[in-house]
């Protein structure tokens, strides 16, 4: 059980305490633009916190929107919001004016700190209505100038363990985005559970990855875990495959965080980089096919750590480490969490049966003013949108998101299982499998496929892929229709949007 004092501020724990404990001269952040020590990060966070309070008039509980690619100033802004007792509303750089205006409206944003290169969309969002008044830009010298006029020390705002400090929006894989509220203690819980227990983060660690700080996967991996354990974080503004591997090589990163799709695309690039410093590679956000895990292991000698996380639960809650990793399964609940599989009536199912994954633990879903809270939290259990089964050894197996289960001629077919089979074919770079309406069968399995360079779409290839799937999994699951695309629709966090494909057919 995690115990915190009544009054605690996660920003103070992450940065002030690190300097107080003597880490001031050690590197906290590495970036293209330079290196920041813990002492520099504290000083800059203090100056920005003074800007928030003295220049903008931020009072505890105000919401401050943060927007920009992953870089050190964005980290300092996030810490400043915490230290000022305000609420950070982290956003994905890819979001456009319309989506930002929904967030600004839903979260009742008063102020924003925004990378100047991403300010235009936010200014347009402010014009679409709402109460967003102050957008302070950084990176172009504006925030930098006013912060230098402020003191380098800050009188941290005394916050309660259960004060909201973060509003994180779900990525909207389906439907309109929901705002999830998290307390100071939730941020500390993910540090204890994921950085402490799962990753055993030590001060010698150097973390790098692709998820934006506006996604709780990235906020944990690249801010809370490294700072919280007095390690270092490498911030990559444009995390292409090449840029990520170059950052691993240049900064001798010890852990890499990205998605299953990205791990697949990194494999062919590995020979060009020295990644011998890596000790751990973490995959989250979407299901990790066993074939991807095996291919990564064959190429690097490192076993991917798969973990399922959700914005509602702030970070990863089922995973496994070291010898406990069973490729093809997500793992077991992390300490403090319980998980079970529920039938449609909300009753627990025995091993081997597929049902909704439900979890309970130190973090949990609190939607901001949203009736969908009732659907997600049932008698203290967080009922995810995922279908899972549990094996006799207690390991949890991902089957599909509930929306992605296809029912064809009375058979249940998990779209992702067909995707995994297709991905094992050397011509297939990416794919998405959905059910399309069909008079005879109810639904028909259809695959959208993106080919690797050097492969041409053709009727023969359709047949080849169909045969390949029939030989890989139960033949009735094969895609009766295959359409080739140059790309697939994805959310700002990089997840496949199968519902967008369903809407286009
Ligand atoms: C899916 C997975 C299978 C699953 C997230 C790590 O993804 C994160 O949060 P989101 O709110 O989405 C949650 C949903 O994504 N998913 C995530 N990880 C896995 N499915 N295997 C996995 N390993 O449908 C889940 O309900 O965007 C991930 C840390 C923090 C996060 N917010």
């Amino acid at each position: 059980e995690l115990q915190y004092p009544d009054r605690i501020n996660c920003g103070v724990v992450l940065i002030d305490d690190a300097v107080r404990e003597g880490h001031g001269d050690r590197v906290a952040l590495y970036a293209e633009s330079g290196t920041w020590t813990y002492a520099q990060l504290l000083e800059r966070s203090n100056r920005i916190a003074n800007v928030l309070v003295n220049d903008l008039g931020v009072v505890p509980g105000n919401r401050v929107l943060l927007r920009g690619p992953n870089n050190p100033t964005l980290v300092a802004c996030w810490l400043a919001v915490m230290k000022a007792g305000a609420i950070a509303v982290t956003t994905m750089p890819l979001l456009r004016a319309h989506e930002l205006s929904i967030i600004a409206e839903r979260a009742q944003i008063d102020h924003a700190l925004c990378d100047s290169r991403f300010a235009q969309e936010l200014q347009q969002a402010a014009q679409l209505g709402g109460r967003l008044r102050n957008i302070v830009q950084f990176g172009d010298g504006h925030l930098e100038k006013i912060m230098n006029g402020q003191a380098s020390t800050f009188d941290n705002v005394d916050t309660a363990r259960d004060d909201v400090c973060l509003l994180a929006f779900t990525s909207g894989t389906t439907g309109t985005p929901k705002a999830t509220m998290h307390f100071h203690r939730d941020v500390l819980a993910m540090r204890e559970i994921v950085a402490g227990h799962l990753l055993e983060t030590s001060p010698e660690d150097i973390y790098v990855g692709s998820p934006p700080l506006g996604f709780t996967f990235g906020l944990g991996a690249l801010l809370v875990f490294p700072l919280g354990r007095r390690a270092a974080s490498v911030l990559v503004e444009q995390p292409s495959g090449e840029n990520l591997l170059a950052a691993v090589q240049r900064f001798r990163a010890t852990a890499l965080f990205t998605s299953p799709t990205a791990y697949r695309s990194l494999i062919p690039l590995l020979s060009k980089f020295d990644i011998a410093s890596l000790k751990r590679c973490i995959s989250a956000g979407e299901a990790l096919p066993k074939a991807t895990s095996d291919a990564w292991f064959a190429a690097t000698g490192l076993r991917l750590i798969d973990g399922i996380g959700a914005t509602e639960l702030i970070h990863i809650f089922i995973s496994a480490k070291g010898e406990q990793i069973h490729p093809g399964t997500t793992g077991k609940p992390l300490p403090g969490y319980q998980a079970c599989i529920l039938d449609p009536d909300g009753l627990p199912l025995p091993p081997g049966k597929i049902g909704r994954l439900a979890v309970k633990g130190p973090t949990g879903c609190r939607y901001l003013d949203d009736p969908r809270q009732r659907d997600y939290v049932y008698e203290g259990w967080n009922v995810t949108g995922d279908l899972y089964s549990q094996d006799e050894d207690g390991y949890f197996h991902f089957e599909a998101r509930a929306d992605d289960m296809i029912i064809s001629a009375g058979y249940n077919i998990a779209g992702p299982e067909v995707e995994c089979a297709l991905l094992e074919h050397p011509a297939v770079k990416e794919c998405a499998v959905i059910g399309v309406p069909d008079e005879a069968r109810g639904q028909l399995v259809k695959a959208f496929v993106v080919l690797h360079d050097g492969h041409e779409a053709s009727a023969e290839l359709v047949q080849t892929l169909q045969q390949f799937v029939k030989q890989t999994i139960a033949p009735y699951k094969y895609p009766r229709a295959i359409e080739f695309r140059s790309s697939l629709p994805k959310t700002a966090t990089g997840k496949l949007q199968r519902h967008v494909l369903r809407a286009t057919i």
Side-chain angles (χ1 to χ4, degrees):
E1 179 131 335
L2 296 166
Q3 302 269 329
Y4 300 108
D6 288 347
R7 314 296 301 180
I8 196 161
N9 181 298
C10 69
V12 174
V13 173
L14 292 178
I15 188 65
D16 298 63
D17 288 356
V19 173
R20 194 172 308 134
E21 290 161 13
H23 298 275
D25 292 334
R26 299 185 47 246
V27 173
L29 307 173
Y30 290 101
E32 195 66 26
S33 55
T35 295
W36 293 27
T37 64
Y38 272 90
Q40 287 170 322
L41 180 57
L42 173 60
E43 187 203 306
R44 290 167 196 172
S45 309
N46 284 343
R47 290 184 189 276
I48 298 169
N50 281 315
V51 168
L52 291 173
V53 172
N54 302 330
D55 290 335
L56 304 182
V58 166
V59 296
N62 277 173
R63 279 88 160 187
V64 182
L65 187 144
L66 299 175
R67 174 169 167 81
N70 289 358
N71 66 35
T73 308
L74 190 62
V75 172
C77 288
W78 190 89
L79 292 169
V81 173
M82 296 301 115
K83 285 153 61 75
I87 300 172
V89 183
T90 49
T91 61
M92 245 74 73
L94 278 178
L95 297 185
R96 308 301 301 260
H98 172 68
E99 298 155 302
L100 288 166
S101 76
I102 294 175
I103 289 177
E105 166 82 40
R106 298 272 302 115
Q108 311 220 326
I109 307 284
D110 301 281
H111 311 279
L113 300 174
C114 181
D115 188 299
S116 58
R117 293 164 295 172
F118 289 77
Q120 205 188 345
E121 293 284 336
L122 193 57
Q123 274 152 354
Q124 279 172 21
Q127 280 157 18
L128 291 173
R131 56 193 248 190
L132 175 56
R133 288 174 277 125
N134 284 313
I135 302 175
V136 178
Q137 296 187 29
F138 58 83
D140 62 348
H142 188 72
L143 174 64
E144 288 80 357
K145 189 168 159 217
I146 52 177
M147 66 190 264
N148 286 333
Q150 292 287 349
S152 61
T153 57
F154 177 72
D155 203 0
N156 291 315
V157 172
D158 176 40
T159 52
R161 170 176 75 193
D162 287 1
D163 278 344
V164 175
C165 68
L166 175 69
L167 275 178
F169 278 79
T170 61
S171 52
T173 313
T174 56
T176 51
K178 292 159 273 195
T180 64
M181 298 188 282
H182 300 286
F183 299 156
H184 284 272
R185 70 167 156 88
D186 297 321
V187 172
L188 297 171
M190 72 162 148
R191 173 181 80 146
E192 254 61 81
I193 296 165
V194 186
H197 176 82
L198 178 67
L199 305 173
E200 301 170 17
T201 317
S202 81
E204 287 70 48
D205 273 311
I206 300 174
Y207 281 12
V208 70
S210 67
L213 295 170
F215 180 22
T216 60
F217 181 25
L219 182 71
L222 302 170
L223 192 163
V224 175
F225 304 162
L227 297 182
R229 304 280 293 191
R230 318 317 185 204
S233 178
V234 180
L235 299 161
V236 182
E237 289 203 346
Q238 289 174 10
S240 66
E242 275 88 359
N243 287 354
L244 274 182
L245 293 176
V248 170
Q249 174 174 304
R250 172 164 168 208
F251 299 106
R252 308 216 46 77
T254 60
L256 172 64
F257 296 80
T258 191
S259 66
T261 319
Y263 280 109
R264 279 193 290 278
S265 67
L266 290 179
I267 292 171
L269 305 175
L270 286 171
S271 60
K272 289 192 270 172
F273 298 91
D274 172 8
I275 58 152
S277 57
L278 282 179
K279 294 199 184 78
R280 288 183 179 80
C281 299
I282 296 86
S283 170
E286 286 192 298
L288 175 67
K290 182 171 183 302
T292 305
S293 173
D294 290 345
W296 186 260
F297 182 71
T300 64
L302 296 167
R303 247 318 149 194
L304 284 174
I305 299 178
D306 185 14
I308 179 170
T311 308
E312 284 84 352
L313 284 122
I314 207 167
H315 217 275
I316 293 173
F317 51 87
I318 296 178
S319 188
K321 60 176 171 181
E323 298 294 301
Q324 286 138 33
I325 297 175
H326 284 195
T329 81
T330 317
K332 293 189 180 183
L334 294 179
Y337 289 96
Q338 292 168 264
C340 65
I341 311 291
L342 299 178
D343 75 6
D345 297 324
L347 297 171
L349 284 165
K353 298 279 183 218
I354 297 173
R356 286 266 175 166
L357 175 68
V359 270
K360 198 182 218 171
T363 62
C365 175
R366 297 173 212 106
Y367 287 132
L368 170 70
D369 188 21
D370 198 310
R372 289 173 286 187
Q373 175 76 13
R374 247 180 274 125
D375 306 329
Y376 203 95
V377 182
Y378 176 76
E379 293 184 353
W381 289 86
N382 296 271
V383 186
T384 68
D386 301 300
L387 296 176
Y388 261 79
S389 63
Q390 196 180 6
D391 64 23
E392 296 287 348
D393 300 327
Y395 279 80
F396 284 82
H397 298 238
F398 175 82
E399 306 287 343
R401 286 184 64 88
D403 319 315
D404 299 328
M405 192 56 99
I406 302 162
I407 304 175
S408 186
Y411 287 111
N412 278 319
I413 301 172
E417 188 187 357
V418 185
E419 291 165 7
C420 288
L422 281 165
L423 283 169
E424 289 184 43
H425 191 279
V428 179
K429 184 168 179 220
E430 291 180 27
C431 66
V433 169
I434 62 166
V436 297
D438 178 73
E439 242 168 68
R441 308 184 151 256
Q443 281 186 310
L444 209 81
V445 178
K446 174 166 184 178
F448 293 83
V449 170
V450 180
L451 293 172
H452 274 296
D453 290 345
H455 294 269
E456 290 289 322
S458 69
E460 284 93 312
L461 186 54
V462 168
Q463 283 189 357
T464 308
L465 292 176
Q466 287 173 328
Q467 281 308 321
F468 184 80
V469 173
K470 285 186 192 173
Q471 281 154 16
T472 312
I473 54 177
Y476 69 87
K477 297 175 181 172
Y478 86 95
R480 285 166 197 266
I482 295 184
E483 184 178 326
F484 296 103
R485 292 273 175 108
S486 57
S487 67
L488 297 173
K490 304 228 176 83
T491 63
T493 52
K495 284 193 219 299
L496 273 180
Q497 288 175 304
R498 298 181 188 82
H499 74 102
V500 172
L501 292 170
R502 279 194 287 268
T504 61
I505 46 130

